Amino acid sequence: MKNMMYSQAYEAAREKARALLSKMTLTEKIGQLSQFGTSIYSDNEQRFEDHFSEGKVGSYLTIKGAGKTNGIQKDLLKATRTPIPALFADDVIHGYRTTFPTPLAQSCSWDPELTRQCNGIAAKEAYRAGLKWTFAPMVDIARDPRWGRIMEGYGEDTYLCSRFAEAAVRGFQGDGDRPGKDHIYACMKHYAAYGACVGGRDYNTADMSPQTLQDVYLPPFRAGVEAGAATVMSAFNDVNGVPATANRYLLKDVLREQFGFRGFVVSDAGAIGELIAHGYAEDGGDAAEKAFNAGVDMVMAGDLYNDTFPALIKEGKIKEEDVDESVFSILTLKYFIGLFDEPYVDPSGEDCFFCPEHRAAARKAGAECAVLLENDGILPLSGVKSVALAGPLSSEEGKHHLLGGWSCSSDSAYTVSIKDGLTAALPGARVDVLPCDRFDGVTEENIEKAAQAAKGYDVIVACVGETAFMSGEAASRSELGLPGLQEKLVLALCATGKPVVCLVSSGRPLVLTGIKDKVNALMMIWQPGTEAGNSVADLLTGRVCPSGRLTASFPYRAGQIPVYYNHTSTGRPALGNWVFESKYRDCQIEPLYPFGYGGSYTNFEFSDISISSDSMSADGCIDVSLTVRNVGSYAGADVVQIYVRDLVGSRVRPVKELKAFEKVFLRPGESKRVKIPLPASRLAFTGVDMKQTVEPGKFFLWVSERSDDERYKFEFEVN
Ligand code: NOJ
């Protein structure tokens, strides 16, 4: 795989950076390690002009638009002794202005290419606004839906997340030898293990075996580094007692030595200062020293390095050569992306925001990420003359929330509501919005009014779920049902006897147990973005056949959490044979919907399934071959999922793990022969001695349509 961080163009940028470095004062060098300016962390958008003349600013975050970035850049370059343009950064998480489905939703497409395309467009729009750097992708494995940031990543599975990490990085940075025009640097975050915060509480402790860290939480970062990710963000949490932002093992031994990372590391916002609250540093100077010596090159949001480094260097606590190395990496990336040649952007480039091409991509993505959970045949809708829309996500208020969290630069004025999308898709039909169309309007009284009114329609579409702020940063939840009285609303609509299609929009898996068997159809639309209403209409009318598959298990009840499919084997698995098994007394052990699950309007059949050999060497490969046929009447896509179980290991192995997958699109009646390689290297794990090995022995292999599908099982051996 091509990695631009090892290209000749990168070497050329290094040469230029080395030459510039030799001309800089110490103050200027430290300035390059400092990032400022945000409307989130202060009331005003601070420009830190007083820092310009001394060269104390290396980067800015969350400054919006070409006008502003150009303006600041111009003032900065005019005022400094050694003109070094600032690198402008922002959280471009799922689109910049045109907004795509959230990353968790994108992973449900099981199509990394979709993410590459979405991020390519996001990068283009961000670049046109003067940005050269995004704080994305988030590649934290998340097995706990109480954690609001599960929406920002690619779900619970390490293999799947790694494939999306590569695609996300390539989308932002491009596939060339350097990120040219319309591409921006990626920043993989939050390094590391942030998704394992205890109890799903944001910013909290992650405590796990070093083997789990290596095998479950780190591989997506490695995949992103190998795809060329230019930067990495250190996380807020501690990992096994050492804060990630002062964790030399993670930042140097693993990231640089083991993974070969060549870019630079930025702290999360304020995370260095927080080493004091962690009880890991005494004061700002101690915190700066510990973070920098551990490998954090740039401080996000503040003067901590500017203020403390001169004394720390004098006292010999940090070395000037190390400062030089960090500055060198940052300058190299500034040259590499062409910032010195073109420090400004042409504001007319912003014309591409919300352009038809970008909107079309958002519409397609919105439909591809939805997951059909239930359908008794009501979908796709046909011959419908009147539709009653109910619930807070159905019309004007819903528009904003359908963009989802971290849609910081988007605009709900450009967003298509579900009402508008359906009205356009069903010409001649009456599409009305019933009471309860605002979050604060879902009251007992309005529920009754809505249920009464709904009786006069052919079909009811309930649009329920979370607000945009209920997931994302600092948005942990302890209850995962539909918020407020929304479940009551859905049940009241079902009680009318009219068919109910329930669309659920949220940033995380919810507990949908109470409505699952009551509605006629249930679809997870996540937070689809700018084209939400059109994407939904495409799905409801059958213009697009649902093909999403869950990438995070949906709990039956919140008390099961963490519930994920690839848990390790226990001595007493829940086989239902006796009472003393690993299970609950008051609830099923299985999730409501497992990883890999999702419905369609059509059906697929697997046949002629085989594996090329029932044995391979530790550096060998076997091929899984099968024919997939669309036996239904809609064109659509199925996802072939290959799971493996290592039967006996020197450490207890997971009950099964995804090791390969392929999405196959087929027209009705069409079939395709699919060959999926499974290299033995994917079976490696970290042993008690911390060495990664592929152990000889027997394995099960399942060719599946979801993680609990065990119809097609094979056995092979590694020798
Ligand atoms: C804090 C968040 O944890 C991080 O993900 C984000 O990129 C920064 N703030 C900047 O907004």
Side-chain angles (χ1 to χ4, degrees):
M1 192 192 294
K2 200 154 101 185
N3 179 345
M4 63 170 67
M5 298 294 283
Y6 285 83
S7 66
Q8 268 186 3
Y10 189 75
E11 290 309 320
R14 277 162 68 94
E15 251 173 60
K16 290 185 188 159
R18 200 58 90 193
L20 176 59
L21 186 65
S22 67
K23 297 183 196 142
M24 291 167 69
T25 64
L26 181 61
T27 308
E28 287 167 347
K29 289 179 195 171
I30 302 169
Q32 285 304 301
L33 310 182
S34 306
Q35 184 181 64
F36 296 96
T38 156
S39 44
I40 297 176
Y41 302 104
S42 61
D43 289 341
N44 304 313
E45 209 162 67
Q46 300 170 3
R47 292 159 48 108
F48 291 86
E49 276 127 323
D50 54 327
H51 288 41
F52 288 2
S53 59
E54 292 172 82
K56 282 185 167 177
V57 181
S59 174
Y60 279 100
L61 78 156
T62 62
I63 307 288
K64 312 268 180 224
K68 280 193 184 167
T69 52
N70 282 344
I72 295 176
Q73 194 78 289
K74 193 165 139 233
D75 294 345
L76 170 74
L77 292 177
K78 211 165 57 193
T80 43
R81 192 193 72 97
T82 310
I84 302 174
L87 202 55
F88 287 91
D90 203 353
D91 289 289
V92 184
I93 308 293
H94 49 117
Y96 183 62
R97 297 281 282 158
T98 308
T99 305
F100 298 98
T102 57
L104 179 62
Q106 289 185 29
S107 68
C108 291
S109 71
W110 290 62
D111 180 8
E113 179 55 21
L114 176 132
T115 286
R116 197 187 65 79
Q117 286 168 8
C118 294
N119 285 1
I121 292 173
K124 179 174 166 187
E125 292 191 359
Y127 185 98
R128 305 291 178 98
L131 301 176
K132 295 283 185 290
W133 184 20
T134 172
F135 302 129
M138 185 190 99
V139 301
D140 298 317
I141 295 297
R143 294 169 156 183
D144 190 334
R146 290 173 298 182
W147 188 51
R149 306 199 76 168
I150 192 172
M151 61 144 303
E152 294 173 55
Y154 303 108
E156 75 189 27
D157 182 75
T158 304
Y159 179 76
L160 187 93
C161 181
S162 302
R163 303 291 76 77
F164 273 89
E166 290 158 1
V169 167
R170 287 177 184 279
F172 286 130
Q173 299 190 173
D175 263 333
D177 285 342
R178 53 182 291 267
K181 185 172 183 296
D182 288 342
H183 286 108
I184 59 177
Y185 288 128
C187 180
M188 287 199 297
K189 66 189 190 185
H190 304 83
Y191 191 71
Y194 187 35
C197 51
V198 65
R201 288 190 285 282
D202 212 359
Y203 315 115
N204 221 299
T205 292
D207 201 276
M208 64 182 67
S209 72
Q211 287 89 349
T212 298
L213 181 65
Q214 278 286 343
D215 293 346
V216 177
Y217 288 87
L218 295 181
F221 286 95
R222 175 175 216 142
V225 168
E226 287 172 0
T231 73
V232 165
M233 184 187 294
S234 69
F236 287 124
N237 55 289
D238 75 88
V239 184
N240 299 336
V242 181
T245 290
N247 200 312
R248 194 189 170 93
Y249 165 73
L250 283 173
L251 295 167
K252 294 208 164 155
D253 301 354
V254 176
L255 187 64
R256 295 209 182 260
E257 301 303 322
Q258 205 183 320
F259 297 172
F261 175 69
R262 299 190 94 185
F264 70 83
V265 174
V266 63
S267 74
D268 202 339
I272 301 179
E274 288 167 25
L275 296 178
I276 304 170
H278 269 290
Y280 195 76
E282 267 175 33
D283 51 30
D286 193 25
E289 178 195 334
K290 287 186 167 135
F292 181 73
N293 284 337
V296 179
D297 302 292
M298 183 185 277
V299 52
M300 184 187 287
D303 260 321
L304 193 56
Y305 279 8
N306 278 334
D307 290 346
T308 59
F309 273 26
L312 289 172
I313 293 172
K314 224 182 244 159
E315 290 161 23
K317 289 185 172 162
I318 64 174
K319 295 194 198 117
E320 194 168 342
E321 305 95 89
D322 292 342
V323 172
D324 283 357
E325 272 317 292
S326 294
V327 178
F328 173 59
S329 319
I330 292 163
L331 293 178
T332 301
L333 288 184
K334 288 187 174 184
Y335 277 111
F336 193 42
I337 202 164
L339 190 59
F340 284 87
D341 299 331
E342 280 184 61
Y344 307 108
V345 277
D346 174 358
S348 70
E350 291 186 338
D351 289 356
C352 74
F353 296 166
F354 300 113
C355 68
E357 187 196 334
H358 295 184
R359 297 193 74 121
R363 179 173 184 158
K364 182 169 167 283
E368 274 186 44
C369 298
V371 183
L372 183 64
L373 300 173
E374 303 289 336
N375 186 17
D376 68 359
I378 181 80
L379 291 180
L381 299 176
S382 84
V384 168
K385 292 273 172 286
S386 60
V387 180
L389 285 173
L393 291 149
S394 53
S395 56
E396 279 309 292
E397 164 157 273
K399 282 175 23 172
H400 177 69
H401 301 292
L402 292 168
L403 290 172
W406 288 111
S407 45
C408 326
S409 306
S410 197
D411 189 342
S412 55
Y414 291 85
T415 305
V416 182
S417 71
I418 295 183
K419 176 180 184 335
D420 291 345
L422 265 186
T423 306
L426 296 171
R430 192 154 58 92
V431 179
D432 294 333
V433 177
L434 306 184
C436 297
D437 65 332
R438 299 181 53 82
F439 278 96
D440 60 7
V442 188
T443 59
E444 300 276 2
E445 195 188 334
N446 279 342
I447 290 175
E448 214 180 300
K449 281 189 194 160
Q452 271 305 326
K455 289 181 185 155
Y457 292 81
D458 291 348
V459 64
I460 303 166
V461 177
C463 309
V464 292
E466 291 188 323
T467 68
F469 313 108
M470 280 179 180
S471 52
E473 188 177 347
S476 302
R477 288 182 64 198
S478 63
E479 297 278 354
L480 293 183
L482 289 169
L485 297 180
Q486 292 183 81
E487 179 165 323
K488 206 161 182 192
L489 167 67
V490 175
L491 296 177
L493 296 170
C494 293
T496 61
K498 291 286 178 181
V500 175
V501 173
C502 183
L503 305 175
V504 179
S505 169
S506 72
R508 52 155 63 82
L510 294 178
V511 174
L512 302 172
T513 313
I515 58 169
K516 168 186 184 288
D517 295 323
K518 303 278 195 269
V519 294
N520 299 78
L522 184 59
M523 192 185 286
M524 201 61 209
I525 60 167
W526 304 106
Q527 289 155 332
T530 300
E531 285 284 318
N534 287 332
S535 305
V536 164
D538 288 344
L539 290 159
L540 297 193
T541 57
R543 206 177 144 255
V544 176
C545 181
S547 63
R549 305 286 185 262
L550 297 179
T551 56
S553 306
F554 272 44
Y556 180 88
R557 198 174 281 175
Q560 292 178 317
I561 297 169
V563 55
Y564 50 93
Y565 86 96
N566 48 358
H567 56 87
T568 42
S569 310
T570 70
R572 295 193 177 189
L575 301 174
N577 294 338
W578 62 325
V579 68
F580 299 106
E581 292 179 344
S582 178
K583 63 187 180 197
Y584 296 103
R585 287 209 181 226
D586 59 350
C587 160
Q588 66 184 48
I589 186 78
E590 298 83 17
L592 184 67
Y593 297 112
F595 177 85
Y597 172 83
S600 174
Y601 297 153
T602 187
N603 289 305
F604 299 93
E605 242 174 45
F606 291 176
S607 62
D608 300 322
I609 314 175
S610 62
I611 59 175
S612 57
S613 170
D614 55 13
S615 69
M616 64 172 151
S617 59
D619 57 359
C621 180
I622 53 175
D623 293 324
V624 179
S625 301
L626 68 153
T627 300
V628 187
R629 179 182 291 278
N630 181 345
V631 294
S633 44
Y634 289 88
D638 198 12
V639 181
V640 182
Q641 305 169 27
I642 308 294
Y643 295 92
V644 161
R645 176 180 186 150
D646 186 347
L647 296 192
V648 180
S650 60
R651 292 191 76 243
V652 175
R653 309 301 307 129
V655 291
K656 61 174 64 168
E657 289 175 291
L658 182 77
K659 291 295 174 190
F661 63 90
E662 191 162 324
K663 191 166 184 175
V664 191
F665 180 86
L666 296 166
R667 283 182 288 278
E670 195 186 356
S671 63
K672 192 177 166 191
R673 191 80 189 141
V674 180
K675 188 158 123 183
I676 304 174
L678 174 66
S681 55
R682 286 196 201 145
L683 309 173
F685 67 91
T686 306
V688 279
D689 57 0
M690 287 306 291
K691 291 206 177 94
Q692 281 255 336
T693 38
V694 180
E695 285 187 356
K698 283 194 177 146
F699 291 79
F700 286 156
L701 180 153
W702 291 272
V703 180
S704 314
E705 285 185 295
R706 45 192 265 188
S707 61
D708 62 352
D709 170 13
E710 302 201 335
R711 287 172 300 164
Y712 308 110
K713 182 176 171 187
F714 295 82
E715 214 176 299
F716 69 89
E717 204 162 330
V718 171
N719 42 42

